[in-house]
Amino acid sequence: MPHVRTVLGDVDPAAIGFALPHEHTAIALWHVPNRWDYWELTADRGIIEAELGRFRELGGTALADVTPPGVGRDPGWLTSVARATGLHVVMASGWYREAYYPAEARIDRRSVGDLADELVREIEKGIPAGDGPLVRAGLIGEIGTDKPWVSALEERVHRAAGRASRRTGAAITTHSVMSAVGVAQLDLFEAEGADPGRVIIGHADSYPILEHYLEIIRRGASIEFDFLGMSFTPQERMGEPRIIRLLQELLSRGHADRILLSQDVCHNAQLRQYGGHGYTYLQESFLPRLREAGVSAAEIEQLTVGNPRRILTLA
């Protein structure tokens, strides 16, 4: 039977209403050797549970936490968050991008097949969560590139993700910023037999080029606007009107079924506690602006419920 694989077990897809397909509830990048970007979303239980509680109060039902191993993935943390908030939390499997590959993963010494087998095990059997039962992943990602090209090690991970998606049906979600590298990612997934309909090219709003979006959609994959509400760069602070126009154009061409929306909360500064928008920017700010721009209720339902539900559903 079709199901969504959450950290607390499989649920009927009908249980997934308004959902955020690309978020983090804890992540730490600054501790990685030879990286100096001081970037962290602290696993502060009281704060995170309150922030997610606000999301649920406004109608949220589910989120995918796409924090990879090496930068903070913790199945025990995710299960506790799910229990405390009542949200359906989906854990992801995979490795982030080359600069953040954990040494213990030995990406440089393993075959594509061996890496794919590990992803499949995490989805089908699960991984330890302290003294509790194994926790199974329900998504692959976020699989990324450091630059506007795919490095040799990143290619190995992308190919493994493609194979694991083909074998399990799990969707792949990517980190693809400020370039057309998402097309190269899609090439690799397809070369390994992945269904492009199960691929989401992420961070599309960081590269606001209509032709790029249309090429990905033409090939059957989805794009994701998931920097919504971010304010770290001038483009993020001032670029939303352009994103809304591009979104309107895509909707006018009938592509509502190939667009996802999220906020990629990944830094303490994004939390309401510290002056940010928390996990509710879509509900409180972005979706009202879409309605004002003439986007229909049915289209918004597709973007925020139908598409995440489809992506998270395993056959």
Side-chain angles (χ1 to χ4, degrees), residues 51 62 72 74 90 133 142 145 173 193 207 222 224 256 290:
E51 301 271 340
D74 181 344
V90 176
E142 60 184 292
T145 65
T173 188
Y207 189 63
S222 296
E224 187 172 74
L290 288 190

Side-chain angles (χ1 to χ4, degrees), residues 23 31 60-61 75 91 106 139 146 172 187 197 219 229-230 242 254 271 275-276 286 291-292:
E23 300 296 334
H31 70 291
T61 69
M91 180 178 73
R106 300 182 298 113
L139 183 68
D146 265 325
I172 305 170
D187 288 341
R219 292 171 57 175
M230 280 195 181
R242 183 178 184 182
L271 299 176
F286 189 74
R291 295 184 186 102
E292 291 173 5

Side-chain angles (χ1 to χ4, degrees), residues 26-207:
I27 187 169
L29 305 183
W30 63 269
H31 70 291
V32 177
N34 300 316
R35 298 293 297 192
W36 307 105
D37 39 355
Y38 292 92
W39 207 264
E40 181 172 25
L41 177 64
T42 307
D44 188 315
R45 186 173 305 280
I47 292 175
I48 295 299
E49 290 176 3
E51 301 271 340
L52 291 174
R54 174 67 176 165
F55 167 64
R56 189 176 182 200
E57 288 170 5
L58 294 180
T61 69
L63 64 83
D65 187 307
V66 296
T67 307
V71 294
R73 188 183 70 171
D74 181 344
W77 162 260
L78 293 176
T79 56
S80 68
V81 165
R83 290 192 181 100
T85 63
L87 293 169
H88 297 296
V89 177
V90 176
M91 180 178 73
S93 178
W95 300 277
Y96 186 28
R97 43 194 171 116
E98 183 170 346
Y100 302 97
Y101 292 159
E104 61 270 21
R106 300 182 298 113
I107 302 296
D108 60 335
R109 286 177 269 172
R110 297 169 64 189
S111 69
V112 170
D114 190 37
L115 295 170
D117 287 345
E118 181 172 340
L119 300 181
V120 172
R121 282 196 302 273
E122 291 194 350
I123 294 164
E124 295 184 345
K125 298 185 181 301
I127 58 176
D131 297 329
L134 297 180
V135 177
R136 293 189 289 179
L139 183 68
I140 299 170
E142 60 184 292
I143 304 298
T145 65
D146 265 325
K147 300 295 182 182
W149 58 83
V150 183
S151 75
L153 289 186
E154 288 167 347
E155 178 179 344
R156 193 173 297 184
V157 169
H158 280 69
R159 289 189 180 279
R163 291 188 192 183
S165 179
R166 173 175 54 80
R167 289 166 58 185
T168 64
I172 305 170
T173 188
T174 79
H175 172 99
S176 168
V177 296
M178 298 184 293
S179 73
V181 72
V183 173
Q185 294 177 324
L186 185 55
D187 288 341
L188 292 168
F189 300 143
E190 288 192 276
E192 297 300 330
D195 175 2
R198 304 295 291 154
V199 173
I200 310 134
I201 302 301
H203 309 329
D205 33 354
S206 74
Y207 189 63

